[in-house]
Amino acid sequence: MLGSGGREHALSWKLAQSRLLSGPQDRLYAAPGNPGIAQHATCVELDARDHAAAIAFCEEHRIGLVVIGPEAPLVDGLADSLRGEGFSVFGPSKAAAQLEGSKGFTKDLCARAGIPTAGYIRTRSFGEAVEALAGFQPPYVLKADGLAAGKGVVIPETREEAVAALEDMFGGRFGAAGAEVVIEEFMRGEEASFFALTDGATILSFGCAQDHKRVGEGDTGPNTGGMGAYSPAPVLDAMARGEVLEKIIAPTVRTLANEGTPYSGVLFAGLMLTDQGPKLIEYNCRFGDPECQVLMTRLKSDLGELMLACADNRLGTCEPAKFASDTALTVVIAAKGYPDAPEKGGAIDLGSAEACGAKVFHAGTKRAEGGALVADGGRVLNVTATGRNVTEAQAAAYRAVDAISFPTGFCRRDIGWREVAREAEPTS
Ligand code: AMP
Ligand code: GLY
């Protein structure tokens, strides 16, 4: 398992329960891991950018399956390097990871395959971008083409602000990621996330979720990696899920396979539920963080077997993935100052948070000298609980949050608010 966040803790926790790891010789290694992951795996130092070192490690330890958690090593082609040496890898090739690595690549693919998404133009010229604004209504949606850690999208209200933002992007604010810019039509609606496993031929639905991207309550303030999430997302009902599979996921998988760059791994679609049906906002080539934490909490199938089948192109032999019908909800506890300048080193005492069945996934934590748990990142803990609906799962998650002592941390108190409000509406 490569990675060190809350997503990788949830994946490691679930992988550790797999039949693949039930033998006395079986081992789960995590690189670099974190103190939560260390409860399930042997944590090792390994630089994912050093492909030769990754190959050498896999050879030495006779690794049967490599799971790549985050996007950067996927976009960097680590899956190709490992597959080239005969290892089974869960995660797409460099060519297929372009779905996340280049927004323009995805928009062009949608255009070729007739996938519903916002109208767009892509350009490498500041002058052309400014001219193109005339073809769009405010608010303007401006995106740096490449990976920008979730910060590459700007949505200015006025033309003046849009020009200033374009100046910024072409001026190098996002480095090479901003050398090309995509301008999109603004879509209105509620956002939801849909996940599918695919080996390039077979597609298995793998759950849905909603997250809260903004740092502040009521979904205000700057964007973050995600301050909380819940699964399932009742707004994505069975009909909408069917439409997403048929009109968005299937044509994407088919087109990539036909063009000689089949996608293998988890495909994470960010969706806008518009008046005209679900439309694609963007693709990610890995699990969402913290969406993964709620998906894994509900997953009943053997994650290791599904991932290995996916890696070995035999997903068609697997049963559909099974999830508990309960709702899972996770609250992110971040270090004060997140997302700009999170305070490091704050003391954490998890207390009795897990006593009532909640699960605390570690994201940015580490062991200080002497072994005490301290904060070591922006998003620090993911406190996850279940219930019969979002209201119950939310109450259980905040009970666990309140059992934790982390004076330099903070969390939103309203994760799941849209659904809690809908659940409180009288049913007629
Ligand atoms: P992305 O990184 O592409 O997911 O964009 C980040 C966020 O910007 C999304 O979660 C949406 O809230 C918003 N966004 C992106 N594209 C659009 C669009 N075309 N219309 C409206 N909002 C958008
Ligand atoms: N939580 C959003 C993401 O992982 O991209």
Side-chain angles (χ1 to χ4, degrees), residues 110-125:
C110 288
R112 289 201 297 288
I115 292 165
T117 185
Y120 75 107
I121 66 115
R122 58 189 295 199
T123 175
R124 303 181 76 87
S125 140

Side-chain angles (χ1 to χ4, degrees), residues 208-210 212 229-235 294 298 325-331 385-398 414-424:
C208 59
Q210 277 186 298
H212 294 268
Y230 48 98
S231 171
V235 280
V294 285
R298 293 182 51 231
S325 58
D326 280 1
T327 294
L329 183 142
T330 190
V331 175
T386 58
R388 280 174 303 177
N389 55 23
V390 178
T391 308
E392 283 190 15
Q394 186 200 54
Y398 283 115
D414 66 344
I415 299 305
W417 65 268
R418 273 199 189 81
E419 215 43 62
V420 169
R422 281 194 281 256
E423 285 172 358

Side-chain angles (χ1 to χ4, degrees), residues 103 141 143 153 184-187 191 213 281-282:
K103 303 217 183 256
V141 180
K143 302 185 175 184
V153 178
E184 280 185 19
E185 169 200 352
F186 182 81
M187 299 186 284
E191 287 179 51
K213 291 193 169 58
I281 302 174
E282 61 155 5

Side-chain angles (χ1 to χ4, degrees), residues 116 187 189-195 208-210 213 236 240-241 244-245 248-249 268-274 277-283:
M187 299 186 284
E190 194 166 327
E191 287 179 51
S193 304
F194 183 92
F195 299 84
C208 59
Q210 277 186 298
K213 291 193 169 58
L236 213 52
R241 293 197 302 274
V244 171
L245 260 180
I248 298 177
I249 306 288
F268 163 7
L271 304 167
M272 190 69 84
L273 308 178
T274 74
K279 292 190 178 181
L280 182 71
I281 302 174
E282 61 155 5
Y283 272 129

Side-chain angles (χ1 to χ4, degrees), residues 27-82:
R27 289 276 179 287
L28 177 61
Y29 293 95
N34 69 31
I37 295 171
Q39 296 162 17
H40 315 289
T42 306
C43 294
V44 295
E45 288 299 325
L46 191 62
D47 183 353
R49 290 167 302 186
D50 184 346
H51 295 196
I55 291 166
F57 181 88
C58 291
E59 280 170 350
E60 185 187 343
H61 298 277
R62 292 185 291 129
I63 298 298
L65 171 66
V66 183
V67 177
I68 303 178
E71 62 276 16
L74 291 165
V75 172
D76 180 42
L78 181 60
D80 308 70
S81 297
L82 291 166

Side-chain angles (χ1 to χ4, degrees), residues 7 71 100 149-150 193 195 210-213 224-229 268 282-284 286-292 379:
R7 167 182 52 210
E71 62 276 16
E100 176 161 3
S193 304
F195 299 84
Q210 277 186 298
D211 80 336
H212 294 268
K213 291 193 169 58
T224 71
M227 294 300 290
F268 163 7
E282 61 155 5
Y283 272 129
N284 296 305
R286 35 94 193 161
F287 282 104
D289 188 345
E291 290 89 334
C292 184
R379 295 185 293 171

